Structures are given as C-alpha cells and as structure tokens.
Amino acid sequence: MRENRPPRDTHDPSRPGPDHGDAPDRASTRSARGVNAQRTAGDRPAGQLADRPADHAVSRPVDGVVGRLTVTVERLRRELTAARAEADGRALVELAKGILVERLGYGPADAIRQLEDLAGQSNVSVLELAADLVNQASHDRIADVAREFLASTGEPSVGVRLRSAETGMLGADDVQAVAQSVLEHALRPLGAQAVAIWAANSDQSLTLAGSAGFAGEEAKRWRHVPPGVPVPARRALTERAPAAYASLAAAGLPSIGQREFGGGRLAVPAGAGGRITGVLEICWSGALPSQSQSLQRQFEALAELCATALESRPAAGGADGTDDPQTADLLELVHGLHDPCLVMQPDVDAAGRATDYLIKHLNPRFEDFAGRPRSAVIGARLLEAYPLAAEPGGLFEKIEHVLATGESFRSPGMSLSALVDGVPLTTRARVSISRHGRHAVVVWRTEDGTARVANLLQHAQRLGRIGGFEENLHTGEIVWNDTLFDLHGLPPHADPVPLDHLPAHAHPDDGHTIGRFLRTLLHHQRPASTAFRLQRADGIARHIRVVAEPVLDADARITAVRGAYQDVSAQHWTEVALAATRDQLAHTEQQAAERNRLALQLQHAIMPPSRGPLDLHDLHVAVRYRPAEKDHLVGGDWYDALALPTGRVLLCVGDVAGHGIGAATGMVALRNALRGLAATGAGPGQLLGWLNTVTHHLTDNVTATTVCALYEPRTRTLRWARAGHLPPILVRDGRAAELPTVGGILLGAIDQADYEEGEIVLRAGDTLMLYTDGLIERRDRSLELSLADLLAAAGDADGLPELDRRLDHLLRYSSSDTDDDTCLIGITVR
C-alpha cells in the first residue's frame, strides 16, 4: 500500500532545474546521472535491457509540451487514486483494530492507539501496518459466514441482490440484457417498475443503450435524445450527481415512460475512474423511496455495473451508432479479427476540426500493451489513453491522414507509447489503419511483451516498496528509480547515495553488518544481502533490506553493482505485534486448557465414562457415556438412575447447551436439583416444571433438554415427561419404537411452563433406552433419518444376550459424525 501523501510531479517545468537556472554544478550532476530519476529498476532486469536493440521497449525522458501535459494528467490521476485508497482503507484499519481487541484484549481506543504507535515507530502509515497485520493474522471465513447467513434468512440481502445482478450482467450479450438483469434482480425488490441505461455521446446527446419494463414502442421513440433536451439523465450528467424527482409528472420533465411511470424518478451517473460514460435511470409508479445512505450506495453500485456494461457490451437496437447498417457491419468485422483492434471516431470542435479521436469500440482480442484494463481505454480519447501518440509522425498524425485522404496506412514496425505512473513505455508493433465511413480502424500486433512486463515489474516494485539502483564503479554514475528517492526521503533532483557512503546513513549499531555486506559484494565479488536501520535526513528511521550483485567484465573484474532496497518496516513492526499476540494467545490457551481440565475432572467425578451394571428392584440398568473427542468441547450431557425413598426409581437423561466449564457446572446443578425435587414424591411433569423454574432463575443463562421418568416396581408402570428432548425408545419382542411424544418446552427458556406426562405398563423382557442427541446427530442428514437408523440398530441389538453388549453395539454402529458427547442408558425389566 502507498502512504497517504501527495504524489511528486518529477517533471514539473516550474520547478528549478538544469533547464531553469540551476547552477552549473547541479547541471553537470544531472547530466552525469542521465535519466536516473526516470528509469525504473524494472526497465533493466538482470542487465538484459541495456543490451537490447532500440526497437524494443525502453523508458525515456518526457519532454516538450505533450510530455508536460501528460505528466500533469498522470499526477491528477494518482491523486484521485490515493484519495480513493484512503477512503477504502478505513475498513481495513477497523479490521486490524478488531484483531488487536480480540487477540490482546485491548479496548477499541487502546487498539487504535497501539496501531498508531506501531506505525509511528516503523514510520509507515497506519493503513500499511493494518494491511500487514490483517494479512498475517486473519483467517478468511467469509464463505462460512455467508452460508450461515443465507441459511438463516429467506430474504435476499443487498449484497445477494447486487451479486445476482452482476452475475446476470456477466452472462448478458448486450446492454439490453444487462438492463433486464438489473431490474429483475436488484430493483424490483425496491419497488421499481422500469429501468433505462443511457450512453453519453461526445456531442452531448444521449443514446438509449438498453431498457427494461417499458413498452416496445416507447423504447423506440426514446432511442436518441439530442443535445440540449432537459431530461433527468442530462441533469445527472451535467451535475455529475444523482438527480432525484419525487414525481416526474410534477417536475414537468420529458423522459422515457413518462405517461406509464409518472411517479418517482432517479437518474444516477454511470462511470468509473472519474469518467462518466452514461446514466442509469430508474422509474417508479408511486412515490420515490426515501433516499437512505444504504439505498444510495446500492444505486451507485448498480450504476457502476451499468458503466462496465456500456464499456464492454454492444448496445441493443443500435446504440453507439449501430442503427447504421454500415457501422453494425464494421463492428461485426472487427469482432472477428485475431489481432487487437480499436475503432475510433473523430472528436471535432466548433470549426469542424478533429481535436482528438474517441475510442468507441475494442474487439475481444484487444489487450493494452501497457497492461491497463480495457475499461481504462474504451470510451477514452486517443490523447488521453496514449498521450505520446501526439508526437510528430506518431499515431495521431497517421489517423488524421487516413481519415482525410482515405488512404490506408501500413507499417511493419511502428513505435507505440503509453505513459504509466510517469514512466513512458514504448514498444514496436505492426500497425494497420483504415477508414470506414466516419470511423478509423486501428489494428496492431506487438512484436513482444516487453513493455507489459516492464510495467508489471514497475507495479510490483511500487507495491512491494522496492527501489532499484545501479552504480558504475568506474565513472561513479548512479541510477535510482523514483521509489528509491522516496525511501531515502530525498527529492528527485538530489544526488543518490553511493554504496560506500551507506554506513553514514545507517544506525551506528548496524555499521558492522553493512561492512560485511560491502566486503562480500565488493571484495569477494559475490551477491550479498543484509538488513539495517536507515537514518534519513528528516529524522525518520526505516527498516531496510538491501540485496545486490556485482557486474563483472570479460576479465572477471567488477565494473558495477546493481540491486534493490526494500522497505520492510511494516513487516518488522507487524512481527513485533504478532509476537505480542502469540504471547497473549499462549497465555490464553494455557488458561483455556486449565478450564477444560477442570471441566473434564468435574464431569468424570459426576459421570465416569464407564459404569458397571446397576440393579434397582426388578430393573437392570446399564450406562454408556462417550465424552467429546476434543477436550475443549467438554459438554453438559448427564444421566441419573436412582432408587427413591418412596420406592420408585428415578430415570433421567439430559443435555445442557454449550461446552466447557459453564456447561459442566450447569449439568451438576440440574442433576442435583432434580434428585432433591424427586424426593418430594411428585410426578415427572411436576418435577420438570419445578426444574424449569430453577433453571430460569437460579442459573446463569443455562438452557437444557431432558427426559424424566418414574418407575413403579409394584405395577411396572412407567410415567415420563420430556423438556424438548428426544423421546425414549422401547424395544419389545425384537421391535424398537419411540414412546408417544408428549409436549414440553426446553428448560430455562421461559419462567413458567407446563409439561405433559405419558404412561405405559412395561413387561418382563422389555428394554427402555434413554439417550442424548450426540448418539444420532449428523451434519449431512435430517434427524428423522438418523432416528430411523437408530431404531433399526436397536431392534437388531435386541438379539444380543447381555444389556451391556447391546449398548456397545449401538455406540459402535452409531451414525453420528459430530464431536458432541453422548449419553446412553439401557433399562431391562426382569
């Protein structure tokens, strides 16, 4: 990321320099350095570019009126890009602040102060430090969150609607289909009935590129709007801002669909990169919706989609001049070409002279040799996209001649130039220019990808905060790129720092490391690298990594050194922050492990994983408890089988929501409370009603499910009640079935609750099973299917002679695939 500071204009003619009155010694210094402030390290990778023929891509100084104007345009673009990056970066800073809040336990104010302190110590912007911190410390769970969100709501969100509209746009063949997709997926949920996408022409007229929701005749009547007609779309273009009308009929303005849709009307400029290419007009039959900030952002996002469509899709029914059959044939022709092709139209002034050429169309094969996206070229003027085309004998002159005379132009090796980040990139190409009506068709095929590769290297250096250099040890000439002047805090006209002067610009403690670096490089003539702290003249210190290699002549003597400096300050302070985070996490993990160990000990003390058979009157009881596979998932499953003073037998199983020490302590509280309440002699429904009140009032936000049963040995009668839990299973004569379901809400949800009771008379040989959902729960199938599998397995296990073996069989062949703990009780009547 780049620091938020105004970009330098290294070619400002108003700045004093060798051509504007500098002293002779300054002029000689600049002459010796040549183009050091203009050349990038990417222009001379590994010593290859210096030996290439002149017809390959090179970087050269920009001079003349065209060059100065070009640099001014580039500077304004960089300022716009920096302003946008600053706005977009606020969200990134909030993410980094959230990481410090979560990982280090800071409050929000302390977290931002910590970010600012670290950024100040490393002398980078807060945004740069935030980016490195987020990149190294975060885990991308956006997809999981999105799936959970979509599963929890049936109403499409704003993001879903916009994404659906974008997906429809990607599959659309023309702007008409794009308009239909925008209306159906994004605007109808907001009450809109129709939409129009206008293309803005160079003569101030408007062309209906696509529409949806209007009658066919209405769209034909409004295919073209001449200059000067006061329609809502023109106001949006003129003011470069959305134009809203509570009622189009009351405003008295003409526009498409004014009779059918005379209600609210909104026109939003459609453009990208500061260039407006059209207007998105939205129509309502009723009142205009309240323009909240959220809605405004939605409309702006849709307008950007429409701008992309205007630049990359043909218009429906003749927009952009395709009403003319000759123009339509021309576009069909260039679409089939295998070489990059541009279709241009003269941009004339009041006197009828062509002042520039508007790039109206690009064929699918077009690829900008400077590596820019298609959207940066289409819709732009020739001198805006390729300002160096105005040079004598350049592309501008050739197009002008072709359109004036009708004579085609062919060149087997023409120079094409583009200016990217202040650096002119030139390549050789086979160029063909021909006239077709009022359009010029330019076809070019570049001979190699050198210019594009150089541009990619330049951007990589800028993003990586890397500055390249080359130093001639015989002449003393030093070549630096702009990034390196920035890194050292020097103006672009300053003298570069020679390698042997580097110790004087470093922290005193790093002098010995730089000494070893220079000995390896200059004396042993081997590639070398080191890290040091750069002390700049402005008092700012930066952490720098330098890597260099010697350049040897035919006699193996060192003649030059080339290499690069990289600013690693953000990485250094990110490592400091992450080290603190790791220490904090280690402490937190130790505390969590201790809590999990205590929870596990508490759980095992109350319910050991294995417990021998138990005989209660004529009941034979066996229990199986399977803890969670991971210690940190210690759960709240519990069971109890107890002979009461009344002669009855209490049988229960339950599951407290959650994991960890809270679930374990909640389980102990409920188990002990139910034991005490059961001594009163009340029935199971009453017991659960009391236990619900205890759960709601006497525990800390605990909820639980349970089944409570009381067995009367004299009559072999079983009465049971359930609180949101799975019903018991009765296995009789080799067949397993659920007991009839009785109503009852889970414990702790509300203050007072009533619980229904069920009753059944058991027989000798019957087996009753109570269990928790960890026995059958699966991620990939419904609970009903898993329960059916359990009933089948329980019926099969009934043939085993011993109750313990039946329970082991059910656990072994359980279909569960979750990490939850499992509790299973088997009761056989003898």
Side-chain angles (χ1 to χ4, degrees), residues 109 165 169 184 246 327 407 455 591 629 671 684 711 725:
M169 185 200 77
E184 294 301 326
T327 303
E407 178 184 352
N455 180 41
Q591 289 181 327
E629 295 183 7
R671 184 173 182 266
Y711 177 71
H725 202 85

Side-chain angles (χ1 to χ4, degrees), residues 11 146 154 189 228 243 246 277 281 398 487 558 582 591 693 696 710 730:
H11 305 282
T277 57
E281 186 169 349
K398 302 303 181 185
L487 190 149
I558 185 170
R582 283 192 293 269
Q591 289 181 327
T693 303
H696 185 79
L710 291 175
L730 177 65

Side-chain angles (χ1 to χ4, degrees), residues 89-134:
R90 296 193 188 100
L92 191 62
V93 173
E94 291 299 316
L95 282 176
K97 185 172 72 172
I99 289 173
L100 294 180
V101 169
E102 177 188 3
R103 300 293 177 85
L104 302 182
Y106 291 139
D110 293 335
I112 192 63
R113 280 197 296 270
Q114 177 73 0
L115 275 177
E116 292 171 350
D117 291 344
L118 290 175
Q121 294 172 28
S122 60
N123 295 300
V124 297
S125 68
V126 173
L127 185 59
E128 287 178 301
L129 183 60
D132 287 330
L133 183 60
V134 170

Side-chain angles (χ1 to χ4, degrees), residues 487 528-532 542-547 564-568:
L487 190 149
S529 65
T530 190
F532 67 97
R542 304 189 83 90
H543 290 260
I544 301 297
R545 181 171 182 80
V546 58
V547 58
Y565 293 82
Q566 183 178 18
D567 183 358
V568 295

Side-chain angles (χ1 to χ4, degrees), residues 25-105:
D25 57 338
R26 174 62 59 81
S28 61
T29 300
R30 297 291 289 171
S31 176
R33 286 169 52 201
V35 294
N36 57 356
Q38 308 299 331
R39 186 176 299 156
T40 67
D43 297 326
R44 302 184 63 178
Q48 297 173 7
L49 191 56
D51 301 327
R52 288 183 177 169
D55 62 346
H56 285 72
V58 295
S59 298
R60 49 192 170 81
V62 179
D63 51 12
V65 175
V66 174
R68 290 194 292 271
L69 292 177
T70 298
V71 170
T72 301
V73 171
E74 287 297 306
R75 175 174 56 81
L76 293 174
R77 286 179 177 172
R78 289 196 300 270
E79 289 177 354
L80 179 61
T81 301
R84 287 179 172 168
E86 182 178 4
D88 294 340
R90 296 193 188 100
L92 191 62
V93 173
E94 291 299 316
L95 282 176
K97 185 172 72 172
I99 289 173
L100 294 180
V101 169
E102 177 188 3
R103 300 293 177 85
L104 302 182

Side-chain angles (χ1 to χ4, degrees), residues 437-691:
R438 60 194 182 100
H439 295 96
V441 176
V442 180
V443 179
W444 66 45
R445 174 179 288 182
T446 56
E447 296 178 354
D448 55 41
T450 306
R452 188 162 61 253
V453 172
N455 180 41
L456 294 176
L457 287 174
Q458 178 194 15
H459 283 291
Q461 291 168 352
R462 176 176 56 83
L463 294 174
R465 298 189 289 273
I466 299 174
F469 72 91
E470 182 174 288
E471 181 173 343
N472 189 313
L473 300 182
H474 294 327
T475 65
E477 180 185 0
I478 303 174
V479 178
W480 276 13
N481 69 350
D482 288 347
T483 305
L484 203 48
F485 284 97
D486 262 347
L487 190 149
H488 280 262
L490 298 174
H493 53 75
D495 294 328
V497 177
L499 277 176
D500 56 358
H501 293 178
L502 195 57
H505 296 266
H507 192 281
D509 294 343
D510 296 334
H512 62 287
T513 61
I514 295 178
R516 285 198 301 269
F517 165 76
L518 294 176
R519 282 195 301 274
T520 302
L521 182 66
L522 302 177
H523 179 64
H524 300 293
Q525 298 183 7
R526 295 199 306 266
S529 65
T530 190
F532 67 97
R533 287 162 289 180
L534 177 67
Q535 302 279 21
R536 303 192 337 180
D538 55 10
I540 295 176
R542 304 189 83 90
H543 290 260
I544 301 297
R545 181 171 182 80
V546 58
V547 58
E549 63 178 4
V551 179
L552 307 179
D553 60 13
D555 298 325
R557 291 191 298 266
I558 185 170
T559 61
V561 174
R562 65 167 62 96
Y565 293 82
Q566 183 178 18
D567 183 358
V568 295
S569 302
Q571 177 183 345
H572 170 79
W573 290 111
T574 298
E575 291 173 355
V576 171
L578 288 178
T581 300
R582 283 192 293 269
D583 292 343
Q584 181 68 22
L585 284 176
H587 179 65
T588 302
E589 289 172 357
Q590 183 179 2
Q591 289 181 327
E594 182 65 21
R595 289 171 60 88
N596 292 335
R597 185 182 64 81
L598 291 175
L600 196 59
Q601 289 180 345
L602 177 61
Q603 188 183 61
H604 287 178
I606 301 300
M607 293 182 304
S610 61
R611 179 174 176 179
L614 179 66
D615 291 323
L616 299 173
H617 298 285
D618 59 344
L619 298 181
H620 182 66
V621 181
V623 176
R624 291 294 182 269
Y625 178 75
R626 183 173 61 192
E629 295 183 7
K630 299 178 182 179
D631 290 344
H632 70 279
L633 294 178
V634 172
D637 285 16
W638 53 280
Y639 63 86
D640 207 355
L642 177 69
L644 299 174
T646 59
R648 298 174 181 173
V649 177
L650 172 67
L651 302 169
C652 61
V653 67
D655 186 0
V656 175
H659 298 89
I661 190 69
T665 55
M667 170 268 293
V668 173
L670 294 185
R671 184 173 182 266
N672 291 340
L674 185 57
R675 278 193 169 193
L677 294 170
T680 62
Q686 181 64 63
L687 291 178
L688 290 188
W690 290 337
L691 189 61

Side-chain angles (χ1 to χ4, degrees), residues 328-469:
D329 293 341
L330 172 62
L331 296 184
E332 184 176 356
L333 172 66
V334 300
H335 242 264
L337 295 178
H338 292 283
D339 291 327
C341 180
L342 307 87
V343 178
M344 301 188 193
Q345 174 183 310
D347 189 5
V348 297
D349 59 13
R353 294 187 300 268
T355 59
D356 207 340
Y357 298 96
L358 183 67
I359 302 175
K360 295 286 291 182
H361 183 75
L362 303 174
N363 73 342
R365 299 282 183 173
F366 177 82
E367 183 178 1
D368 181 45
F369 62 86
R372 294 172 297 187
R374 293 167 58 92
S375 59
V377 179
I378 192 170
R381 287 162 176 78
L382 176 63
L383 295 183
E384 179 185 343
Y386 303 99
L388 297 180
E391 292 180 327
L395 191 61
F396 188 94
E397 238 180 53
K398 302 303 181 185
I399 296 174
E400 188 176 42
H401 178 78
V402 168
L403 285 177
T405 65
E407 178 184 352
S408 298
F409 171 80
R410 303 285 187 277
S411 174
M414 183 178 182
S415 294
L416 298 177
S417 301
L419 194 70
V420 180
D421 287 342
V423 178
L425 300 174
T426 302
T427 190
R428 302 284 290 179
R430 286 182 287 171
V431 178
S432 170
I433 308 174
S434 58
R435 187 179 75 182
H436 295 264
R438 60 194 182 100
H439 295 96
V441 176
V442 180
V443 179
W444 66 45
R445 174 179 288 182
T446 56
E447 296 178 354
D448 55 41
T450 306
R452 188 162 61 253
V453 172
N455 180 41
L456 294 176
L457 287 174
Q458 178 194 15
H459 283 291
Q461 291 168 352
R462 176 176 56 83
L463 294 174
R465 298 189 289 273
I466 299 174
F469 72 91

